[in-house]
Amino acid sequence: MNLLPSRTELDAAAAIVYGAMQATPQYSWPLLNDALGTEAWVKHENHTPTGAFKVRGGLVYMHQLMQREPGLPGVIAATRGNHGQAVAYAARRHGVRAVIVVPHGNSVEKNAAVRALGGELVEYGDDFQASHEYAQALARREGLHMVPSCHPDNVAGVASYWMELFHAQPALATVFVPIGQGSGFCAAIAAREALGLRTRVIGVVSGHATAYLDSYRSGELREAPSTTELADGMACRRPHAGSLEVVQRYAEEVVAVSDEEVARAIRLYYRATHNLAEGAGAAALAAALRLKHDPRVAGCKVGLPLTGANVDADKAMRVLSEVLP
C-alpha cells in the first residue's frame, strides 16, 4: 500500500479538511528561539477542533469511506485518544455510529472527549496493541468497519498541516516529527515530496517505546515494550509495516526522547508560548533541544509540530509544577 499521496490527492484531501476546520497557525516564539539558539516555527495542531492533528486524517478517511460505502452501519477504531476523537468527530458529521476501543488506564479526559463526540467507548487491554486486536475482533462480530491508524486517506488529510507549514515557511532546513503509528511522519514526507523541498525530516519516538527506532536501526520490523507514562501518543509496541517502510527510506534520523525530556519540553512550551502540549505534542521540541548543537539545528530554521494538547489536567499540573521529572 502506497502511503505517500500525490499532489492531486493532497489538494483534494485539503478541500475536505477545510470543509470542517480552518488552517492552524504557525508562529516563531522568541523565548523558544532563545532556548534553542535558532529560529523555530511551531505548527499549532493543538488548535484543531479536537485539540490534535489526527482530526484531519479522520475527516478525509471518513469522507472517502462514505463515498464507497454509504450504507455502512458503523465504524470502530483502537486508540490512545486522539485517533479515537478524530474518528468520533468525523463519524458524527456523517451520522455514523463510532465505537472507540482504548486500553485500561487511558487518559480520563481523552475518554471523556470521545464520549462527548458521540463515540461509544470500550476499555480493553493493557496497551494499544491489545486494544487494536480486540477492536478487530469486535469489528468482525458486529459488522463494523475498522478505521486504521495509518492509511493513505489518513496521511493525505494529515499532510494538509504540513502543506500549510511548508507553504508558509518553505526555507525550513529540518523538521521533527513524533511517531506513533506513523501517519504524521508519512504526511510530512508526502508534503515535502509534493512541493519538491529538501527539508530534512527527523522522526521522534519515546525512549520508553522504541519499536520504530529499533526497527529503523535493524532494517526489519521489531516489537518493543511500551512503558512511557507521559507520551501516550507514541506508546507503540508494534510498528505499522507501511509507515515503517517510509521511515526507513526517508528519515534523516530517528531519535528517542525520555519522559524527563518530554516533561521539560512541556514546561518550556508553556513558559515560552503559554500553550499546553501533551506528551507526544512536545516530543518534537524535546528532540530539537537534544540536538540544539547539531549542525542540522544550530543556525538553521527548524519546524516543530505541536501535535496535540490533550493531556489530563492532573498530569499537566504535576508536570508544570515539576513534580514529575
Side-chain angles (χ1 to χ4, degrees):
M1 179 183 292
N2 180 15
L3 287 175
L4 299 182
S6 67
R7 176 62 185 272
T8 299
E9 291 169 324
L10 293 182
D11 289 344
I16 295 168
V17 170
Y18 299 140
M21 59 172 281
Q22 296 179 331
T24 59
Q26 48 279 318
Y27 297 124
S28 184
W29 297 89
L31 290 176
L32 207 58
N33 294 343
D34 284 349
L36 287 167
T38 196
E39 181 180 344
W41 284 84
V42 178
K43 184 59 172 170
H44 282 282
E45 289 300 283
N46 55 316
H47 293 175
T48 73
T50 63
F53 78 100
K54 285 281 190 179
V55 69
R56 296 174 183 260
L59 286 165
V60 175
Y61 188 93
M62 189 64 64
H63 175 88
Q64 303 292 34
L65 177 63
M66 297 309 296
Q67 297 297 306
R68 296 190 303 268
E69 303 180 48
L72 192 70
V75 296
I76 188 170
T79 184
R80 289 303 302 261
N82 289 334
H83 176 56
Q85 289 183 66
V87 171
Y89 180 87
R92 186 169 68 174
R93 285 177 61 86
H94 291 276
V96 175
R97 177 190 181 203
V99 178
I100 308 300
V101 184
V102 301
H104 293 293
N106 198 52
S107 162
V108 173
E109 292 173 23
K110 286 181 181 179
N111 289 356
V114 166
R115 293 190 181 99
L117 288 166
E120 300 173 25
L121 194 80
V122 176
E123 297 181 79
Y124 185 90
D126 294 325
D127 62 11
F128 170 80
Q129 194 63 36
S131 297
H132 185 267
E133 291 167 4
Y134 181 75
Q136 289 178 314
L138 196 58
R140 290 190 294 269
R141 188 161 70 242
E142 298 194 14
L144 302 172
H145 177 90
M146 181 79 178
V147 180
S149 300
C150 191
H151 179 276
D153 292 338
N154 297 106
V155 172
V158 171
S160 60
Y161 93 70
W162 285 107
M163 295 291 278
E164 293 165 14
L165 179 58
F166 286 142
H167 278 305
Q169 295 296 326
L172 291 173
T174 304
V175 296
F176 292 84
V177 190
I179 301 175
Q181 282 290 296
S183 64
F185 187 93
C186 293
I189 296 298
R192 185 193 71 176
E193 297 297 292
L195 295 173
L197 301 177
R198 302 182 65 182
T199 310
R200 292 181 288 263
V201 182
I202 296 178
V204 186
V205 303
S206 169
H208 314 281
T210 59
Y212 269 92
L213 176 59
D214 297 344
S215 300
Y216 174 75
R217 288 177 173 171
S218 69
E220 59 186 29
L221 193 152
R222 291 190 175 179
E223 293 190 15
S226 172
T227 59
T228 176
E229 296 182 1
L230 194 53
D232 55 351
M234 300 191 295
C236 170
R237 175 157 56 95
R238 178 180 176 83
H240 180 279
S243 65
L244 177 60
E245 290 181 9
V246 176
V247 172
Q248 290 171 328
R249 179 178 178 184
Y250 291 101
E252 167 76 14
E253 186 181 353
V254 177
V255 299
V257 292
S258 68
D259 277 359
E260 180 180 355
E261 290 174 302
V262 167
R264 285 201 295 266
I266 291 173
R267 289 193 288 269
L268 178 57
Y269 261 137
Y270 191 78
R271 291 165 181 161
T273 78
H274 290 158
N275 279 262
L276 185 62
E278 61 184 87
L285 174 57
L289 289 166
R290 163 87 70 84
L291 298 181
K292 63 182 292 185
H293 299 299
D294 188 289
R296 295 167 297 182
V297 175
C300 297
K301 186 182 291 189
V302 300
L304 304 174
L306 199 173
T307 55
N310 297 323
V311 56
D312 285 356
D314 61 342
K315 182 179 290 186
M317 288 187 287
R318 292 199 304 273
V319 171
L320 292 176
S321 64
E322 304 189 32
V323 174
L324 292 180

